[in-house]
Amino acid sequence: MSKYESVIGLEIHAQLLTESKIFCSCSTTFGNEPNRNICPVCTGQPGVLPVLNKKVVEFAIKTALALHCQIAPYSIFARKQYFYPDLPKDFQISQYELPLATNGYVEINVNGNTRCIRIHRIHLEEDAGKLVHAGSDRIQGSTYSLVDFNRTGVPLMEIVSEPDMATPEEARAYVQEIAALLKSLGVCDAKMEEGSLRCDGNVSIRPVGDKNLGTKTEVKNVNSTKALKDALDAEIVRQIKAVDAGERIIQETRHFNENTGQTISLRSKEEAHDYRYFPEPDLVPLEVSKEWIDEIKQGIGELPAEKIKRYVEQFGIKTEDVETILESPGMAEFFEGAIRLYGKPQIVANWLTGEISAYLNAKKLEIKNSKLKISTLVGMLALIDKGTISGKIAKEVIVKMLDTGKSAEEIVKESGATQISDEGELIKAIQEVIKNNPKPVQDYKDGKKASITFLVGQVMKVTKGRAKPDLVNKLLEKELS
Ligand code: ADP
Ligand code: MG
Ligand code: ZN
């Protein structure tokens, strides 16, 4: 890698969460029986006319504003022509020369560094249908294919970045950032594994320091941000090997095989002129008024990046904790609610991002559908503060709270896991530990004061975490002096 650097630009296709399709009133509901959500328009019958869905435009404008783009007061749709069985009209209505929005940017964080990635353009288009290959889950090995037009005409928004990413890791962070943004705007559910967010990775290499771009390849078929990173890593390695072997990189589309971890050539890249783009004669130009843009702007709530800044500034919690909180639906509201009742943001954040997130992730649950309530979490934190339970015991208590919905008090009462407050009982445990650990005790007496940490740990073990470490420390010192 030392001689070369990689350059990456991404094209993201996001399915917009409108109830109806982009050019007809068919439902966009996912998972219906094949060919139920169809009509003459989205199946390309002769003589029908498309009508643009206003909500689609609103969602794209919302996104464009959040990505600091300029919104074109005037943009047009175009026909992108190609033949494929999932495309009944033999052309896709897209935007080509005059897209809805251009020249934006988004900030991403990688290993503590903030990078600005420019957005080249955002445009609207319709999705194609879906081929269902019989007898196999792919073309290879199947005897015939069926076509499902339910997805045909589902609105897509394409977000094209500039080639501003230098590493596959940055590419991954970029997709995560865009996905979080789309979700928080409510315009796309951004599930890569289900295809509601799709991403093509364009990548090239060049000698370090070279200002010119090398020839790029486009990697398709990645259905997670991890697969994207792996695919780009593999493709960069392949390109370097090829160039070092004296080969030339050819512009092509490549397919990532997750099983082999390799990319393979799919087809040589078509050029724009292959599609014979021309302005869509059945749609009027899309005109967007300044008033409408202002109105949409007003309706945009706090964006993830703004929320991260605010949480860090207002609550003083760690950026990575904020990111974890924001990734999990409904957790930000929970967090703010808990702080209103309890204060101490970092402590609340530690519990939410630690034990609670681990539990929710393992059960594939969202916090609002879990049995934990803001009030019960705060109740548990109060028990720790009062010294009724130790932090260690609390980790077990919280799991039981999540399992049962009971309060911490109830659980503690049932299990008798309260902290030992009787000094006599503690001293007994301490004396036992002193007896069983002559070497560390001698070390301590010889001046190696640090060995008390070990002894405290032993006492905690003997009491099954039900002792207060600082009290144990004090009593131990007394016993040993
Ligand atoms: P195409 O016409 O092949 O789709 P575009 O110029 O529209 O190509 O770019 C598509 C994507 O590829 C954009 O995200 C862009 O940033 C990226 N890209 C363009 N050239 C390169 C390059 N040489 N290396 C890496 N990415 C590139
Ligand atoms: Mg392209
Ligand atoms: Zn339709």
Side-chain angles (χ1 to χ4, degrees):
M1 199 57 213
S2 53
K3 272 195 297 179
Y4 299 101
E5 61 187 18
S6 50
V7 176
I8 299 165
L10 299 180
E11 294 160 287
I12 290 180
H13 287 89
Q15 264 180 13
L16 295 174
L17 282 174
T18 55
E19 283 170 28
S20 55
K21 293 185 178 181
I22 184 169
F23 298 123
C24 62
S25 57
C26 289
S27 164
T28 54
T29 322
F30 179 77
N32 270 11
E33 226 180 289
N35 297 313
R36 284 291 174 271
N37 306 346
I38 57 171
C39 74
V41 174
C42 55
T43 52
Q45 306 301 307
V48 296
L49 291 173
V51 177
L52 181 59
N53 180 342
K54 189 173 178 188
K55 201 80 192 168
V56 168
V57 183
E58 184 190 318
F59 280 5
I61 291 176
K62 231 180 188 179
T63 309
L65 288 170
L67 290 172
H68 316 280
C69 290
Q70 279 159 292
I71 316 249
Y74 178 96
S75 66
I76 59 168
F77 286 91
R79 291 188 179 182
K80 178 178 182 178
Q81 306 183 90
Y82 64 94
F83 170 79
Y84 204 65
D86 65 9
L87 190 72
K89 298 195 296 290
D90 284 348
F91 61 83
Q92 176 196 31
I93 304 179
S94 179
Q95 292 195 296
Y96 180 57
E97 259 164 335
L98 291 173
L100 179 62
T102 51
N103 287 328
Y105 68 87
V106 63
E107 282 180 356
I108 60 168
N109 280 298
V110 181
N111 303 327
N113 297 320
T114 303
R115 295 255 294 128
C116 181
I117 309 299
R118 290 169 303 156
I119 307 291
H120 177 60
R121 59 186 274 159
I122 299 179
H123 70 246
L124 288 167
E125 60 191 32
E126 56 181 343
D127 209 344
K130 204 178 140 200
L131 292 184
V132 182
H133 304 296
S136 174
D137 60 347
R138 49 211 310 233
I139 281 192
Q140 283 91 345
S142 80
T143 42
Y144 62 95
S145 300
L146 299 163
V147 60
D148 177 4
F149 291 127
N150 283 350
R151 209 179 64 184
T152 311
V154 164
L156 291 181
M157 173 171 65
E158 179 167 346
I159 304 172
V160 183
S161 85
E162 294 290 349
D164 281 355
M165 284 152 274
T167 62
E169 222 182 338
E170 286 183 9
R172 183 178 194 185
Y174 169 84
V175 177
Q176 284 168 339
E177 188 66 40
I178 298 278
L181 186 87
L182 298 180
K183 272 199 265 188
S184 88
L185 291 171
V187 303
C188 172
D189 62 15
K191 293 183 180 157
M192 279 189 89
E193 57 309 335
E194 287 178 14
S196 60
L197 192 95
R198 287 167 245 158
C199 177
D200 302 334
N202 297 273
V203 57
S204 60
I205 58 165
R206 64 183 173 192
V208 173
D210 196 338
K211 287 279 166 283
N212 299 320
L213 290 174
T215 302
K216 73 171 162 92
T217 58
E218 184 177 358
V219 185
K220 287 198 186 285
N221 188 45
V222 287
N223 54 15
S224 66
T225 57
K226 178 173 184 301
L228 172 71
K229 182 185 168 294
D230 292 347
L232 291 169
D233 276 327
E235 180 55 15
I236 291 165
V237 169
R238 185 195 68 85
Q239 289 189 12
I240 290 173
K241 271 198 193 137
V243 170
D244 276 346
E247 289 166 35
R248 268 185 46 205
I249 302 298
I250 46 169
Q251 182 161 328
E252 61 181 355
T253 301
R254 298 180 69 87
H255 178 99
F256 179 60
N257 182 332
E258 249 179 287
N259 298 326
T260 61
Q262 308 274 311
T263 69
I264 52 162
S265 177
L266 207 61
R267 54 173 186 262
S268 69
K269 176 77 192 173
E270 32 323 85
E271 305 273 344
H273 63 247
D274 295 331
Y275 291 118
R276 307 239 169 226
Y277 279 100
F278 74 90
E280 167 60 65
D282 288 342
L283 284 165
V284 292
L286 173 55
E287 292 187 45
V288 176
S289 71
K290 205 184 153 296
E291 289 71 37
W292 194 28
I293 296 176
D294 287 341
E295 197 186 311
I296 294 171
K297 208 180 269 173
Q298 307 259 307
I300 298 179
E302 192 178 28
L303 299 173
E306 293 164 354
K307 201 168 242 170
I308 291 177
K309 260 193 206 126
R310 178 165 71 85
Y311 277 16
V312 170
E313 276 163 22
Q314 185 179 342
F315 300 133
I317 64 173
K318 286 179 261 165
T319 309
E320 61 261 34
D321 287 348
V322 185
E323 281 165 357
T324 310
I325 289 171
L326 295 188
E327 253 167 47
S328 178
M331 200 173 268
E333 291 74 21
F334 198 100
F335 172 70
E336 293 198 28
I339 289 173
R340 247 175 266 131
L341 275 182
Y342 175 73
K344 305 188 195 170
Q346 188 61 57
I347 291 180
V348 175
N350 289 348
W351 281 96
L352 285 176
T353 58
E355 311 304 317
I356 298 171
S357 284
Y359 181 95
L360 297 174
N361 291 342
K363 303 256 159 154
K364 293 202 168 33
L365 262 180
E366 292 181 6
I367 195 156
K368 57 177 182 288
N369 308 325
S370 81
K371 291 191 172 145
L372 188 69
K373 298 284 159 282
I374 292 174
S375 56
T376 54
L377 173 64
V378 169
M380 188 203 73
L381 296 175
L383 286 188
I384 302 176
D385 290 348
K386 270 194 289 186
T388 312
I389 54 173
S390 65
K392 196 168 161 219
I393 294 286
K395 288 185 181 179
E396 292 163 23
V397 171
I398 193 85
V399 172
K400 289 190 188 138
M401 290 167 72
L402 283 155
D403 273 338
T404 63
K406 287 184 188 167
S407 74
E409 261 157 343
E410 268 178 278
I411 289 165
V412 167
K413 217 177 269 164
E414 283 168 13
S415 65
T418 46
Q419 223 155 34
I420 301 170
S421 48
D422 178 2
E423 285 197 11
E425 199 184 333
L426 262 187
I427 288 172
K428 247 191 254 157
I430 287 171
Q431 285 166 345
E432 188 191 324
V433 166
I434 290 177
K435 198 177 84 200
N436 294 335
N437 294 280
K439 172 91 176 41
V441 168
Q442 196 52 50
D443 285 351
Y444 179 82
K445 289 189 171 156
D446 292 345
K448 265 177 75 185
K449 297 292 174 207
S451 72
I452 198 160
T453 318
F454 171 79
L455 295 168
V456 171
Q458 292 304 303
V459 175
M460 295 305 292
K461 210 162 151 189
V462 168
T463 58
K464 300 201 172 60
R466 290 169 53 235
K468 247 186 167 165
D470 46 350
L471 182 61
V472 172
N473 204 315
K474 221 171 72 192
L475 294 174
L476 249 174
E477 275 175 356
K478 231 197 251 164
E479 287 294 312
L480 293 172
S481 64

